[in-house]
Amino acid sequence: MKKFKLLILLLLSMFLIACTANKKIEPIEEEKVVKLGIDNIDEHLELFAGKKVGLITNPTGINSNYVSSIDVLFNKVNLVSLFAPEHGIRGDKQAGVSQSTYTDKKTGLPVYSLYGSTLKPTKAMMDTIDIMCIDLQDAGARFYTYIYTMAYAMEACRMYNKEFVVFDRPNPASGAKFEGNILDLEYRSFVGNYPIIQRHGMTIGELAKLFNEEYELNCDLHVIEMTGWEREMYYDDTSLPWVIPSPNFPSQNTALVYPGTCVFEGTNMSEGRGTTIPFEVVGAPWIDAEEYASTLNSLGLKGVYFRPAYFTPTFSKHQGAFCAGVQVHVTNRDEFDSVKTGWAMLDVVRDLYPENFQILNHSRNRNHLDLITGSRYISDDTYSLEDQFNIIETDTKAFGLIRNKYLIYE
């Protein structure tokens, strides 16, 4: 009986082996490892040999092991100067707060401000270094000031014959999606200095290449590339540590809505500053939240749902006042068009509440909304929403032809 059972088991094993012999076994796909530009510095140390190094950074400048880029460079190269963008070297300054030169307590290095009265590094600052580096997490939007801090530093490097190095980082809202209108140079400013679109879909290194060649900054540029990053990746696909790039940019979700809802900075509505989800909620004391939400949802915009929302900002516009409005819920981020969404929200609210809604300093040429949108036609309500969408689509295609020449990653 035992021999019979053993024979049965042997035959069964042979049958199973025969069934699987020709079956292809798929390997288990390993999680893709993304290495930041600063993670790859050891492969590029020859760039820094014998040179005095300056670094533009803030708390987002860390490697994938949470080590500050300041500390990385301090230990590996001759780091002699630090340069602070908006919000400060340690990220402790609110939007628009001016800074002055001071000494970094941890390293003892001088910190030169590049926000306020001095946007471009001066000759005296540049005389302290041979090579300027930047490691900042960009927000992926045309009006985020870090990319113009970079551009001004690139200009200074050209003027004073210094090299410029970008430690590249991901675009938090992915590098595959891009949309918006092209900035009219009549409205160029520190929140929009080049004719690019709001959601550019580029890394800071790719933007540096575009600025340098397309807009003829012509500095001696080196981009230390990431490895493992792919265009379709959102930040949460990378497994990299997230550090808020500025005080009102708390999460990766902010990066999705910010290129659209930032337009409300130029209006008398709260864009959610003073709440825990700035730019995801928008409102004012005089809005009917249910009416606003239902009207927006009736537009059938892709990848988004507008929920009636109520909040009381702790600072900024309508501080301490009970506001009603909407929260922007991104239901499908690959379909979501942030710029169209922001423009639609603005268009609807001005139609629903013409007696209350205002554009700040509307009579002034180049008011803040003009600078944010890179145009005057939004402030003046020149076009229907359909025409606005057509402008976005046309400009997106036109910019795409320029953008494609400077992409590093697939």
Side-chain angles (χ1 to χ4, degrees), residues 122-138:
T122 64
K123 184 178 185 303
M125 296 176 188
M126 297 300 287
D127 282 346
T128 68
I129 63 172
D130 301 308
I131 187 168
M132 176 77 85
C133 306
I134 186 169
D135 191 14
L136 289 172
Q137 179 58 58
D138 179 40

Side-chain angles (χ1 to χ4, degrees), residues 79-243:
L79 183 65
V80 298
S81 301
L82 300 174
F83 296 82
E86 184 180 9
H87 308 297
I89 201 80
R90 301 295 179 187
D92 56 347
K93 307 294 183 185
Q94 275 290 349
V97 175
S98 296
Q99 306 160 56
S100 57
T101 300
Y102 62 97
T103 300
D104 180 57
K105 291 182 180 179
K106 185 173 182 181
T107 62
L109 297 178
V111 180
Y112 300 105
S113 173
L114 297 180
Y115 187 78
S117 59
T118 303
L119 300 179
K120 183 187 296 185
T122 64
K123 184 178 185 303
M125 296 176 188
M126 297 300 287
D127 282 346
T128 68
I129 63 172
D130 301 308
I131 187 168
M132 176 77 85
C133 306
I134 186 169
D135 191 14
L136 289 172
Q137 179 58 58
D138 179 40
R142 181 180 67 209
F143 25 72
Y144 210 63
T145 62
Y146 294 172
I147 60 176
Y148 305 115
T149 294
M150 177 177 72
Y152 280 134
M154 292 169 69
E155 288 183 5
C157 284
R158 181 199 64 213
M159 291 173 63
Y160 303 114
N161 298 312
K162 312 293 182 179
E163 295 176 82
F164 191 78
V165 174
V166 180
F167 294 106
D168 211 4
R169 293 188 161 270
N171 185 310
S174 95
K177 185 95 175 183
F178 59 101
E179 52 158 335
N181 70 313
I182 294 174
L183 177 135
D184 180 341
L185 289 179
E186 184 178 346
Y187 300 98
R188 72 189 312 177
S189 71
F190 199 51
V191 291
N193 199 36
Y194 297 105
I196 64 175
I197 57 178
Q198 286 97 317
R199 185 179 178 182
H200 48 71
M202 303 178 77
T203 69
I204 194 169
E206 292 172 335
L207 278 173
K209 289 180 61 181
L210 185 148
F211 292 168
N212 204 45
E213 298 179 37
E214 196 72 24
Y215 307 130
E216 300 181 344
L217 297 186
N218 297 325
C219 75
D220 187 357
L221 173 65
H222 309 274
V223 177
I224 297 183
E225 299 176 9
M226 296 178 285
T227 50
W229 188 76
E230 299 173 358
R231 299 218 72 80
E232 292 79 12
M233 285 182 171
Y234 292 84
Y235 204 91
D236 56 10
D237 294 322
T238 67
S239 298
L240 293 168
W242 171 258
V243 179

